[in-house]
Amino acid sequence: MVSQVELQQRIEAAYKLLESCRVCPRECGVNRLQDSKLGFCRSGLNPVISSVSPHHGEEPPLSGTKGSGTIFFTNCNLRCVYCQNYPISQMGNGAERSSGELACQMLWLQDQGCHNVNLVTPTHFVPQILQALGMARERGFNLPLVYNTSGYESLETLGLLDGIIDIYLPDMRYGDNKAAMHYSVAPHYVEANQAAIREMYRQVGNLVMDEQGIATRGLIIRHLVLPGGLSGTEKIMKFLADEISRDVYISLMSQYFPAYKTAEFAEINRRINEQEYDEAYDIKMKYGLKNGWVQEFE
Ligand code: SF4
C-alpha cells in the first residue's frame, strides 16, 4: 500500500494534470483548476456525483453478500450514442461535492459493511478521488478500491494509481477504431484501451479472491456485446489471450439495449439476439479464456 506521504505526492502530481488537462487521452488542455473553460468531459475542479449506495448487481466477487459500495461520478470522457446511463454521463445529473464530502461518502460505504468502494466512471476525477482518499484514510478508511472505467485511460494517470487501486474493472468496448470513433467519439480508443489494460494488469495481475470468494485484488475485463459484431469481440479476445493472460477474468455482457441516441443509428437500434451472444461466448472460449461470468440471455 502507498504511504500517506507518497499519496500526498501523487495528489500534487495529479492536480498538476488539471492545469492544462491531460487526465485522460483526450488531452483537452483546459485549465480545470480555474473552472473557467470545460473540456470534452464537461468537468471542472470539484467532483460531481450522482449516487452513492451499496450495489448487489455487480460481478459476484465484487458484490459478495454485503454489496459493492458504488460511487457514480457524473459526466464521462466518452460520448457513447447508446449510453444506458446517459442522464448521468451526458446530461450532468448529479451534485457538485468537495473532496471532503467524497471522503465522507467513502467512509459511509465502509460503515454500511460494503466489501469495497467501487468508483464508477472515475477517470476524469482521479485527482479529486486521490485527495478524498487521503482524507478518508486519515479517518480509518481501509476498503479495497475498485476502478470501474470505460477503459479510455492515460498511462500517466494510471501510473499515479499504482499501489492505490486494488481491483481494475475496465471495459474493452471496441476492437476497431472506426467503430469507437463512430459510436463513442473516441480517437485511438483501441491503442489507448489496450495500453491501459497492459498497465492495469502489470499493477494488479489476475483476480485474487479470499476464502469467501470476495475479490481483494486483480483485473476484471467487461465486454459488452453490441449488435452486428460492432464490439470487435474476436480482436479483443485475441489480444487478451496473446498479450495479457488466459487466466484473466472476463464479464461477457448481454445487457445492451437501445438508449439515448440509438434511434439515429438504425444498425444498433435493437437488442442483441441469442446467437450474437453465443458467438461472442464461443470466441472467448476458442481463445482459452475460461474464467469469468456470462449473463442470462434476456
Ligand atoms: S479529463 Fe476531461 S478535460 Fe481532461 S483531458 Fe479528459 S476529457 Fe479533457
Side-chain angles (χ1 to χ4, degrees), residues 117-239:
V117 159
N118 184 343
L119 306 160
V120 185
T121 323
T123 309
H124 49 296
F125 289 127
V126 162
Q128 297 86 341
I129 290 167
L130 290 176
Q131 189 172 56
L133 177 65
M135 296 173 182
R137 270 194 187 176
E138 280 169 12
R139 293 165 57 189
F141 179 80
N142 61 8
L143 289 183
L145 277 182
V146 181
Y147 192 81
N148 182 343
T149 167
S150 63
Y152 194 47
E153 298 287 334
S154 111
L155 291 182
E156 189 175 14
T157 301
L158 286 178
L160 296 173
L161 298 173
D162 191 3
I164 291 173
I165 296 300
D166 301 283
I167 299 155
Y168 280 107
L169 182 60
D171 291 333
M172 290 193 82
R173 280 180 186 261
Y174 303 104
D176 173 70
N177 279 329
K178 249 172 93 178
M181 196 63 200
H182 192 58
Y183 298 111
S184 298
V185 196
H188 314 296
Y189 176 90
V190 173
E191 291 78 10
N193 180 242
Q194 292 187 353
I197 302 298
R198 280 190 204 97
E199 172 61 13
M200 292 173 182
Y201 185 74
R202 184 195 70 74
Q203 289 184 20
V204 298
N206 281 319
L207 188 65
V208 178
M209 294 175 264
D210 66 14
E211 51 288 353
Q212 271 83 47
I214 305 299
T216 56
R217 183 178 171 83
L219 173 67
I220 299 173
I221 303 286
R222 279 182 170 170
H223 181 61
L224 176 69
V225 181
L226 295 174
L230 289 167
S231 40
T233 303
E234 179 93 33
K235 288 181 182 165
I236 287 171
M237 297 302 159
K238 184 172 186 334
F239 165 78

Side-chain angles (χ1 to χ4, degrees), residues 21 23-24 26-28 30 32 39-41 77 124:
C21 192
V23 168
C24 89
R26 292 194 185 274
E27 301 192 356
C28 296
V30 296
R32 288 178 55 191
F40 187 90
C41 66
N77 70 339
H124 49 296

